[in-house]
Amino acid sequence: MSAEVKMTELKARLLEISDLNGAASVLSWDQSTYMPPGGGPARSRQSALLGRLAHERITAPEIGRLLDELESYRESLPYDHDDAALLRVTRRTYDQRIRIPAPFMGELYEHIGNLFDTWTRARPANDFGMVRDGLAKTLDYSRRFAEYFPHQHIADPLIDLSDYGMTAESVRAVFDELRAELVPLVQAITSQPPADNSFLRRYFPQDAQLAFGVEAIKDFGYDFNRGRQDLTHHPFMTRFSAGDIRITTRVDEHFLTDALFSTLHEAGHALYEQGIDVGYDGLPLGGGTSAGVHESQSRTWENIVGRSRAFWMHYYPGLQAAFPEQLGDVSLDAFYRAINKVERSLIRVDADEVTYNLHVMIRFGLELDLLEGKLPIDDLPEAWRARYTSDLGITPPDDKDGVLQDVHWYGGLIGGAFQGYTIGNLMSAQFYEAALRAHPEIEAEIGQGKFDTLRTWATENIYRWGSKFTANELMERVTGGPLQVAPLIRYLRGKYGELYSV
Ligand code: ZN
């Protein structure tokens, strides 16, 4: 059999796996949007079946045989050839999955399903005790999972799952540098009188909120012929195929910015997915390359674009026209200050651009301590309070808005799920500087509600490649160097220096 025939067979098998995953994504999207509560038990079973079938197919001996037989073909190709990249990425996934025994994964999924269900009741009840034993079990599973892989640090295999190529050591080094810059900046800003954002809590009807967001993301270039927006509790983006990439949001009629910025955020994720070369659809290359790069794009469109003065110079008159009674007496300047209010707060997902990364670093540090065995589960709630007090200068009054606030540890493994948010913020600033170097007119265009230059640049340099290049390779190719802290600090100092005169 020629390499060409073998590649055709491999792609056919990979397409089946992609279709199983796509079907599972439809079920999951439905579960998070329209499914009645009674559908839960059967839906868990259906999703588990699709997950098991996909796992069996990616670890099938035929995949291993084809990858082995195509090894010399891969070596004959240039590194950036599509087939070489496909073989590389498929090999990585196969080698990763084949190390994990199927019964372990089955046990893990069942445990996580149960703990998630408990957490949905424990958080409103403010009762860490309800999840204490389950979380201890998750920590044990997380360590066992990592032990299936060679590693320097126990967290490395977990970090690899979402941010391939990064390690506990490399992330810690970047985070330490960032924290040293952020803590004094937060101190300088929060020592000034806080911005007034009380008018954002007036009554803003749902339909008008949604309509405004849809217009903005159409202008970004989100293609509604290949996507749609629905309501959910925890906004997300999901890909079924290149032709169907959906976003979700939630609306608080007494807080204007929740739906608005979650819409811009999820649209950023979707622009990335809609920009991937359609030739990669149905293959492991047809998706974003890492959690960090994905978040870099959602944060670019939400924050760098969507919270900029230039953006609102164009859009604020339209927002005022949509809500004349609510915003007629609010100046552009007051609105801009309100949507960029910096404050020491308890909840990560509501945090501003300046303090947000401190929330992430607290979680990352606690994860490493848990995995290293330095921090017993029983001491976790207190360790959380201590870190918030020392790093953010605010002490959570309870566990509900403390250690219980994020789903990640209760709906997945401990380790690897948080660092991508801050890596994404760092990358967004570094990518955006590269975009401005190539096209200084981008900022003026944002002020006219035009985004073609930015989106086209991002598509050509980042989106179209899907998973062909790793995050580290993309950073080098696009920005000419490795991930750095300085661009984000320059961005924050520039924007908030002007806002707060620091
Ligand atoms: Zn995101």
Side-chain angles (χ1 to χ4, degrees):
M1 260 203 302
S2 69
E4 200 189 328
V5 174
K6 285 174 187 157
M7 282 303 293
T8 305
E9 188 189 335
L10 180 66
K11 286 178 185 174
R13 288 179 175 277
L14 293 173
L15 180 61
E16 283 189 354
I17 297 164
S18 170
D19 284 344
L20 285 167
N21 290 333
S25 297
V26 178
L27 293 189
S28 163
W29 168 85
D30 174 69
Q31 187 165 18
S32 308
T33 50
Y34 299 109
M35 188 187 81
R43 184 56 47 87
S44 298
R45 199 179 62 237
Q46 293 154 354
S47 299
L49 172 63
L50 289 174
R52 204 161 62 238
L53 291 173
H55 181 80
E56 279 169 19
R57 275 178 156 71
I58 186 65
T59 56
E62 291 80 0
I63 297 274
R65 177 180 56 77
L66 284 164
L67 286 171
D68 287 344
E69 290 173 3
L70 285 160
E71 194 62 19
S72 58
Y73 169 62
R74 183 184 66 77
E75 283 167 2
S76 74
L77 299 170
Y79 185 82
D80 61 356
H81 190 284
D82 280 350
D83 281 356
L86 177 61
L87 289 166
R88 215 162 42 234
V89 173
T90 307
R91 164 66 74 184
R92 193 204 302 160
T93 310
Y94 173 80
D95 284 355
Q96 189 189 68
R97 296 300 185 82
I98 202 89
R99 286 174 181 273
I100 318 277
F104 175 87
M105 285 310 284
E107 253 181 67
L108 176 64
Y109 279 132
E110 195 184 325
H111 166 67
I112 285 175
N114 290 332
L115 181 58
F116 172 77
D117 185 56
T118 310
W119 171 77
T120 59
R121 284 173 283 118
R123 188 176 180 216
N126 189 29
D127 188 352
F128 181 76
M130 285 171 70
V131 293
R132 188 253 164 235
D133 290 350
L135 199 60
K137 227 171 153 182
T138 299
L139 180 59
D140 181 50
Y141 276 121
S142 305
R143 298 181 57 90
R144 280 165 62 198
F145 182 94
E147 292 295 348
Y148 288 121
F149 300 86
H151 57 262
Q152 296 265 311
H153 188 283
I154 182 85
D156 289 351
L158 298 156
I159 293 171
D160 237 29
L161 287 180
S162 44
D163 289 293
Y164 176 77
M166 311 236 166
T167 63
E169 200 188 313
S170 68
V171 175
R172 191 147 39 183
V174 170
F175 282 13
D176 286 349
E177 193 187 336
L178 181 60
R179 181 187 290 115
E181 298 276 357
L182 284 179
V183 170
L185 185 60
V186 171
Q187 254 153 16
I189 293 173
T190 53
S191 66
Q192 300 188 28
D196 174 21
N197 66 351
S198 57
F199 49 82
L200 298 177
R201 298 202 173 273
R202 292 172 181 165
Y203 174 69
F204 297 90
Q206 170 163 316
D207 289 353
Q209 284 200 46
L210 289 172
F212 183 86
V214 163
E215 286 312 308
I217 63 175
K218 275 185 185 164
D219 291 347
F220 281 178
Y222 177 70
D223 179 0
F224 274 88
N225 288 318
R226 297 193 292 142
R228 52 178 285 135
Q229 185 184 45
D230 295 274
L231 294 174
T232 187
H233 290 295
H234 300 282
F236 62 95
M237 180 277 311
T238 182
R239 177 192 178 106
F240 304 153
S241 69
D244 194 349
I245 290 155
R246 302 187 186 189
I247 57 173
T248 56
T249 189
R250 64 171 170 218
V251 179
D252 181 344
E253 293 192 315
H254 294 279
F255 192 48
L256 175 64
T257 46
D258 210 9
L260 175 61
F261 288 110
S262 80
T263 297
L264 305 187
H265 181 99
E266 300 309 330
H269 283 301
L271 288 174
Y272 185 4
E273 293 289 332
Q274 288 190 335
I276 294 172
D277 187 332
V278 291
Y280 297 165
D281 197 29
L283 298 173
L285 299 182
T289 193
S290 75
V293 176
H294 237 300
E295 201 64 11
S296 80
Q297 294 315 298
S298 57
R299 304 290 277 187
T300 294
W301 292 98
E302 175 197 354
N303 288 338
I304 297 179
V305 175
R307 290 182 203 266
S308 70
R309 191 187 288 276
F311 179 89
W312 288 105
M313 279 167 59
H314 180 78
Y315 285 96
Y316 193 57
L319 189 70
Q320 280 182 310
F323 302 108
E325 281 157 38
Q326 300 89 331
L327 294 175
D329 62 341
V330 178
S331 70
L332 168 64
D333 198 55
F335 180 77
Y336 175 64
R337 291 180 67 82
I339 60 169
N340 288 296
K341 180 177 183 176
V342 176
E343 58 189 331
R344 304 176 186 275
S345 63
L346 294 173
I347 308 293
R348 174 185 63 87
V349 296
D350 297 335
D352 56 85
E353 286 179 283
V354 185
T355 58
Y356 184 90
N357 296 302
L358 293 172
H359 292 263
V360 173
M361 286 186 250
I362 289 171
R363 289 152 178 76
F364 183 75
L366 292 171
E367 285 186 333
L368 295 192
D369 287 350
L370 287 167
L371 288 163
E372 287 170 12
K374 280 196 220 157
L375 175 63
I377 290 287
D378 286 325
D379 296 345
L380 179 62
E382 188 46 46
W384 183 287
R385 276 190 287 278
R387 285 293 302 271
Y388 263 78
T389 308
S390 63
D391 287 22
L392 272 158
I394 183 169
T395 307
D398 54 30
D399 290 335
K400 178 172 171 289
D401 289 336
V403 70
L404 289 171
Q405 74 177 258
D406 288 307
V407 60
H408 304 56
W409 294 338
Y410 309 98
L413 293 167
I414 294 174
F418 283 109
Q419 78 285 329
Y421 295 116
T422 284
I423 290 170
N425 284 326
L426 292 166
M427 286 176 168
S428 70
Q430 196 168 336
F431 280 138
Y432 191 67
E433 280 191 354
L436 288 184
R437 276 197 299 275
H439 300 284
E441 70 274 22
I442 283 174
E443 290 197 320
E445 289 183 5
I446 291 173
Q448 299 162 345
K450 290 184 186 156
F451 307 97
D452 285 357
T453 308
L454 176 59
R455 195 193 60 257
T456 304
W457 177 90
T459 303
E460 288 303 310
N461 287 279
I462 303 168
Y463 304 168
R464 62 182 288 208
W465 303 117
S467 295
K468 179 168 178 167
F469 300 111
T470 67
N472 293 339
E473 288 168 352
L474 265 187
M475 290 311 290
E476 287 283 346
R477 286 175 59 95
V478 178
T479 73
L483 181 67
Q484 288 169 14
V485 167
L488 181 66
I489 295 300
R490 274 196 287 275
Y491 164 76
L492 293 174
R493 283 193 187 287
K495 176 173 176 178
Y496 292 90
E498 185 233 332
L499 266 166
Y500 287 92
S501 331
V502 290

